[in-house]
Amino acid sequence: MAADWSWARRAWEKWAPKHVGPEGKQVQAALLLNYDPSGPSRLLPVIAEQEGTRLTAVDMQPFLDFVKRGNMQTEFFSIRTNQYLVTSIHENWFCARCVNSTKSGGEGAIVMQIGAYLLVSMYDGSLASASQAMVATDQFAIQFIRRTH
């Protein structure tokens, strides 16, 4: 696990400055969460890394509970005051749209399980923004998986 964490940190430090930030970047905020349903979660901090936001473990607990329940097609999930509806589910990732966004173009999130982590990429906008955020999220996953396999 230590080698995994070491690589995750290096991959994050390489990826986040290029892809996460204010306007002009594909992802406005991103979190790398420790998530290993088969392991003892109390030994690790919930949030391994974050960029573009300042969330706490308490903020993320409802989201992690949602993921553990696995009722993605029938429930909403929350990250702080934003409520999300899952719009697309795939083998190791899903997309969601914010249903109470105050932004004119809307907001969304892409959640991808990568090893013992969940990468949560949040973006502003609609289809084009979602596509760009997916490319950025996928780039982190490819970088991470290439090193660990």
Side-chain angles (χ1 to χ4, degrees):
M1 183 69 173
D4 214 27
W5 164 242
S6 175
W7 175 248
R9 183 165 185 83
R10 279 186 297 218
W12 181 268
E13 288 172 350
K14 194 174 185 182
W15 175 80
K18 292 179 186 175
H19 300 284
V20 183
E23 290 184 39
K25 301 275 181 143
Q26 300 98 324
V27 176
Q28 272 56 61
L31 298 115
L32 188 64
L33 307 175
N34 282 302
Y35 181 75
D36 184 1
S38 63
S41 61
R42 68 185 178 282
L43 300 178
L44 298 169
V46 171
I47 299 173
E49 296 287 347
Q50 64 179 314
E51 186 74 33
T53 187
R54 291 287 151 229
L55 296 169
T56 66
V58 171
D59 295 326
M60 296 310 297
Q61 199 56 56
F63 169 74
L64 290 172
D65 291 342
F66 165 82
V67 172
K68 286 177 188 172
R69 282 191 304 273
N71 297 330
M72 293 177 191
Q73 295 173 329
T74 59
E75 293 182 24
F76 291 89
F77 69 88
S78 298
I79 298 178
R80 279 209 176 135
T81 59
N82 286 357
Q83 277 199 308
Y84 293 86
L85 173 67
V86 174
T87 57
S88 176
I89 301 171
H90 304 273
E91 186 176 340
N92 63 342
W93 60 279
F94 63 89
C95 297
R97 292 294 293 166
C98 181
V99 297
N100 63 336
S101 177
T102 57
K103 298 179 180 177
S104 60
E107 299 171 72
I110 297 167
V111 180
M112 183 178 287
Q113 184 163 7
I114 307 167
Y117 300 97
L118 287 177
L119 175 59
V120 180
S121 298
M122 295 176 271
Y123 62 90
D124 294 342
S126 193
L127 190 57
S129 300
S131 297
Q132 292 172 354
M134 186 66 227
V135 168
T137 302
D138 203 38
Q139 286 176 348
F140 179 83
I142 289 168
Q143 188 177 3
F144 183 85
I145 292 167
R146 186 179 304 152
R147 173 65 169 95
T148 59
H149 288 14

